[in-house]
Each structure stands twice: as C-alpha cells, then as structure tokens.
Amino acid sequence: MEKSPAVSFTSSQFPIEPHEDEDTNPGIYGRALARWLAEQLQARGIAIKEVVAEDWGLCVVTQTRPVRVNVAVANVEDSSTRWQMFAFAERGLFQLRASAAESQRELEAMREHLAAIVAGIPDARDVSWEELD
C-alpha cells in the first residue's frame, strides 16, 4: 500500500462519543474527527463516498480519480486528544492502470489538503509529520 506521511496533532475539538470504540477496537477513536475531515475535504471539492469504521480506526473513503486516495484517522494510543491521519492509495481493479507517478501525485495532493485542514483547527498544537513504514 502506498501511503503519505502521517500527521499527528493534539486537539480537544473532536470529542469521543460514548461506546464509539465498539465499531473499531477497544480504545480506538476518531469518529468526530473523521466526519469533520470528510466535510472539510468536500468543501475543498473532493467527493466523499463514506466514512467507515475499521478495527484500526476510521476511514474516510473518497471518490478521487484516477487513483482512489482514502484517509485513515485514529487517536494516538491511550489518548483522547492526540490524533493521527494519513492518506493511502487504494489499488482496485480500475486503479491498477494508474501509474506509480499518478499515485504519488494524488497522495501528495491529499497530504497538502490534510496539512491545510490541520492548520485550520483552532486549537491544534504539537503538529508533526512522520514517514510510515
């Protein structure tokens, strides 16, 4: 899977909903952040298909073309105010025709969106970017 660097930040803007980790794994949160992020991406012209819970967190599923680039969202372990997000390229049947260069362009474009969106969170602090393995 091709991934962008992950952005981590601290913010109290995204409260944890009661029992939301029943849809993921115990202690894994991010529903409020994922829904808000989907709205922010839509406002930037990115079509959003849905937000889905996964065992590792939430996935903002886009309808980007030629490569579908989704965004993974979750809290940082044992925190209710520290968050992490990264974009990843989904290589479905139709996306297999896309070149590696196209995938990288799409990932970089989404990373730029994420950087601008995080910069607009009123109380975001301790923002850091990290390459993922």
Side-chain angles (χ1 to χ4, degrees), residues 32-44:
L33 174 56
R35 288 179 181 160
W36 179 82
L37 176 63
E39 292 171 4
Q40 297 301 305
L41 290 170
Q42 284 180 314
R44 292 173 151 269

Side-chain angles (χ1 to χ4, degrees), residues 14-32:
F14 310 104
I16 295 170
E17 299 172 11
H19 311 290
E20 80 171 79
D21 60 347
E22 291 174 0
D23 293 333
T24 55
N25 270 322
I28 306 295
Y29 307 106
R31 185 181 294 150

Side-chain angles (χ1 to χ4, degrees), residues 42-91:
Q42 284 180 314
R44 292 173 151 269
I46 297 172
I48 302 298
K49 182 176 180 185
E50 61 187 334
V51 174
V52 296
E54 300 284 354
D55 58 349
W56 45 260
L58 286 291
C59 181
V60 179
V61 181
T62 73
Q63 295 179 328
T64 58
R65 301 231 187 263
V67 177
R68 180 176 293 163
V69 176
N70 300 325
V71 182
V73 175
N75 62 308
V76 172
E77 189 174 342
D78 297 326
S79 178
S80 61
T81 59
R82 184 91 182 142
W83 306 100
Q84 184 177 63
M85 303 187 298
F86 66 90
F88 63 96
E90 184 176 64
R91 305 286 280 180

Side-chain angles (χ1 to χ4, degrees), residues 84-121:
Q84 184 177 63
M85 303 187 298
F86 66 90
F88 63 96
E90 184 176 64
R91 305 286 280 180
L93 181 60
F94 295 108
Q95 285 82 24
L96 289 176
R97 289 184 268 159
S99 70
E102 286 176 306
S103 292
Q104 285 305 311
R105 275 193 303 274
E106 295 292 330
L107 282 169
E108 179 58 24
M110 185 63 75
R111 191 204 67 75
E112 290 175 10
H113 284 298
L114 294 178
I117 290 168
V118 169
I121 299 171

Side-chain angles (χ1 to χ4, degrees), residues 45 66 72 123:
D123 74 337

